Amino acid sequence: MISPEFSTGLTLVLYSLALGTGFAGLLARQPAWRKCGCVLAVTAFACQTLTLALGFHKALPDGLSVGAYFQLMAWFVVLCGSIAWAKMRQESTLIFAALLGCLLFLLSTPYLTSVVRVPTFLSKPFYALHIGALFLSLALLAMAFAAGGIFLFLESRIKSKRSVKGFWKDMPALSLLDKVNAFTVLTGYPLYTLGIFSGIVWAKPAFGAFMTGDPKEVLSIIIWLLFSLLFYNRLTRNWKGRKPAQCAVGIFFLCLFSILVVNTLMPSHHAFVRN
Amino acid sequence: MDSDIVLVGLNHRTAGVDIRERFALTEYCDPERWALPCTDAIRESVILSTCNRVELLAAGKGDLEEQMLRDWAHVRHATPSELAPYVYIYKNQEAVRHLFSVASSLDSMVVGEPQILGQLKAAYRKAVSNHSTGAILNRLLHKAFSVAKRVRTETSVASSAVSISYAAVALAKRIFGDMQAHKAMLAGAGEMAELAARHLLQAGISEILVANRTLARGEALARQFSGRAIPFETMTHHLAEVDIVITSTAAQESIIRASDIRAVLKMRKNRPMFFIDIAVPRNVDPDVNGLDNVYLYDIDDLREVVEENMAVRRDEAAKAREIVSEEVQHFSTWLADLDVQPTIVDLIQRGESLAQKELEKTLKRLGPVDSGTRAALEAMVEALIHKFNHAPLMFLKNGGMAQEGNAQRISLVRRIFDLDASCSHSEGQ
């Protein structure tokens, strides 16, 4: 019988192998190694999916333990990376997604055994919608961040007529990176909006008010406004290239701050539940 | 070594183009005569003649280089003394090293260029069809091809663009990726701009618009690129539909200004544009590069890219030379082993013949024996001979004492085991 510890260990080993092979392929500019890294990353993802599907982590269906949060986040990030790899045949997108996924997965492991008793208000359908939509949009934002970061570096090199060296030569073309940004923003924003508004609707019966002034709520609204600005300009004012890339990077940093600082250090009803 | 390998040649470093033309062997090397005359000295030969080098490679014994020079000069109606000042001669290991360097494009005018390997393969094919190659040159040329492949795989000696037109296309690919959905415009008609347009077509660009002050010339160019000619005056109206613009007109001031491009970008919904300005004076206002989603490279920028790429190739060439040295060593070992092969064969045959004679004598003395005893005796004799031969065979194969050459080792083994007498005896029989 497969134990939760075994499946978690196996997923971690597979992710580590995927990253080792993938990054070695990027640095040594070996396409075969990069491809091998991607195949390993997809295998690790399948293993992680199995782990989640079998409900090994009791915390997962019960609520937002730190472990469950990062596990799900990692899963969504690698899912988006895998889709991007399948669609665009760019190994670097999946390798970077696997790196982020692996880090999140690694962060989750010490807390996987935490069992959370779920307050009744967390079991409403709106809660699942709130979390599902936000996680998927955050995973898309992570991709927008990676594509944006690479775009900004490469574009500055080309614009200033400096050479592109080493593994940067194998990075996707600027147009493709911009397309990734467009796709992730145009799909991520509606999901983020859905996540935010389902949260607001669900907050009324749960906490007695649509907005409670919770730090996480305030920051999420700020992020949503910035995301709206990016979405609007991308859609109607034909923003392309540097500006949307800078915005995506900035918004993702705010999201990271929200997850890593607000959820862990600030008094909030969004704070991670621990034993 | 029983055979020497000699390479006699001249190239772009040792001879100017007039000399290379004079001593080129292209007409001499028609399919029927793609080889040096086979003599007692020259047993195998291959001739490589390209615009940058003429090289004669031969394997044989004796005064090879003198005969090669004489034949070469004779074919070109010259004397060896006229040819000699421009010629380099490499023997054995150095000849192998030079050939490997040529095949790997380390000796080319543009290090890393891919044509030389194809030319060498063609030269070898012709030599093979003329039956002028044998065991040594066949092995040597095949090894040269595999070394070239290894150099290309393990180093970046051929990875970056080293011509201005190709560097421009490489940059376009970095911006646009797949070129099939993109269009280019050629404004003016310089040689370098035409070359860049040709590279773009090879990269898969969907259409090329040609704007030239003389419409007829523009139409002729457009036909070459299967493109479309437009009147030069309407060029700015067409900017919105193209992604790459190559300018090389003789205009004395900018024909494309930043203010024009701002309007064009609005029409293009901010889709990126790449300007390649090959003209001097420049045709595109440098401020254009300051606009978002617009990239401008002039001739100096492209030259810098090419120089950087050349420097990268030079660094990689050092790594490639290490690979060549390693492979030269492997080939030399194989060549040295060729010399000892006949002695090894003689030694084994001598052992087998002695064993057979002694076995027959013993069996006669024993009288009738059962098949089991006979098989045991045969196995014992065979094992004894194997063990007895092991030490001298290892001595021959591994080089014995380091300071001794192959000839000395072979001579020692032949004398100790009296191989020459036993071989002539068996030949006499």
Side-chain angles (χ1 to χ4, degrees), chain A residues 29-30 151 155 157-159 161 163-165 168-169 173-175 237-243, chain B residues 153 156 159-160 173-177 269-272 289-297 301 308:
Chain A
R29 306 190 64 204
Q30 295 286 340
F151 181 95
E155 202 249 8
R157 304 292 296 189
I158 295 173
K159 202 83 167 163
K161 285 116 193 222
S163 61
V164 176
K165 289 177 181 158
W168 291 103
K169 283 184 175 176
L174 294 184
S175 289
R237 296 183 66 195
N238 300 311
W239 265 20
K240 284 188 178 66
R242 201 188 311 168
K243 278 184 200 158
Chain B
T153 316
S156 305
S159 66
S160 40
K173 280 184 184 168
R174 198 159 289 291
I175 295 166
F176 299 106
K269 297 182 176 174
N270 285 325
R271 274 184 293 122
N289 195 49
L291 299 171
D292 263 359
N293 298 312
V294 180
Y295 307 92
L296 165 65
Y297 273 67
D301 300 329
E308 271 188 39

Side-chain angles (χ1 to χ4, degrees), chain A:
Chain A
M1 187 67 190
I2 305 166
S3 67
E5 289 75 22
F6 176 76
S7 69
T8 306
L10 184 64
T11 307
L12 267 178
V13 167
L14 285 168
Y15 271 132
S16 308
L17 284 173
L19 289 178
T21 320
F23 275 98
L26 283 177
L27 294 173
R29 306 190 64 204
Q30 295 286 340
W33 296 2
R34 291 202 296 266
K35 200 171 177 184
C36 187
C38 287
V39 172
L40 282 167
V42 171
T43 316
F45 175 73
C47 192
Q48 191 188 351
T49 310
L50 189 72
T51 307
L52 292 172
L54 292 175
F56 281 142
H57 307 302
K58 292 177 186 170
L60 187 64
D62 292 339
L64 279 182
S65 75
V66 186
Y69 192 94
F70 286 135
Q71 272 263 332
L72 259 185
M73 181 73 90
W75 189 84
F76 276 114
V77 167
V78 186
L79 172 74
C80 289
S82 304
I83 293 169
W85 177 51
K87 208 171 154 58
M88 298 182 296
R89 310 314 301 172
Q90 288 289 332
E91 289 102 359
S92 46
T93 51
L94 179 52
I95 293 167
F96 279 111
L99 172 69
L100 192 55
C102 185
L103 286 176
L104 290 167
F105 194 83
L106 210 59
L107 279 173
S108 77
T109 47
Y111 308 104
L112 286 178
T113 49
S114 302
V115 179
V116 181
R117 196 176 54 77
V118 189
T120 46
F121 59 81
L122 289 180
S123 54
K124 303 270 195 260
F126 267 120
Y127 175 68
L129 187 66
H130 175 60
I131 292 302
L134 280 178
F135 272 30
L136 193 53
S137 69
L138 285 177
L140 288 163
L141 257 178
M143 285 203 57
F145 162 76
I150 298 169
F151 181 95
L152 290 174
F153 177 79
L154 288 178
E155 202 249 8
S156 75
R157 304 292 296 189
I158 295 173
K159 202 83 167 163
S160 58
K161 285 116 193 222
R162 281 175 295 164
S163 61
V164 176
K165 289 177 181 158
F167 75 91
W168 291 103
K169 283 184 175 176
D170 297 323
M171 290 295 125
L174 294 184
S175 289
L176 188 61
L177 290 166
D178 191 56
K179 273 183 193 162
V180 172
N181 182 290
F183 173 77
T184 49
V185 168
L186 296 181
T187 51
Y189 175 75
L191 284 166
Y192 196 86
T193 308
L194 183 67
I196 290 288
F197 282 93
S198 59
I200 290 172
V201 171
W202 165 69
K204 176 76 176 167
F207 304 112
F210 290 116
M211 298 285 288
T212 59
D214 185 87
K216 181 86 176 177
E217 282 176 9
V218 174
L219 190 57
S220 298
I221 293 295
I222 292 171
I223 292 171
W224 180 76
L225 286 172
L226 289 171
F227 212 164
S228 307
L229 187 79
L230 172 58
F231 180 79
Y232 170 78
N233 281 303
R234 182 108 228 181
L235 206 64
T236 62
R237 296 183 66 195
N238 300 311
W239 265 20
K240 284 188 178 66
R242 201 188 311 168
K243 278 184 200 158
Q246 285 168 335
C247 275
V249 169
I251 291 171
F252 185 71
F253 273 127
L254 277 178
C255 290
L256 277 186
F257 178 80
S258 167
I259 295 163
L260 297 176
V261 178
V262 178
N263 276 38
T264 52
L265 299 177
M266 296 177 87
S268 161
H269 54 247
H270 284 85
F272 293 128
V273 184
R274 291 195 190 121
N275 274 348

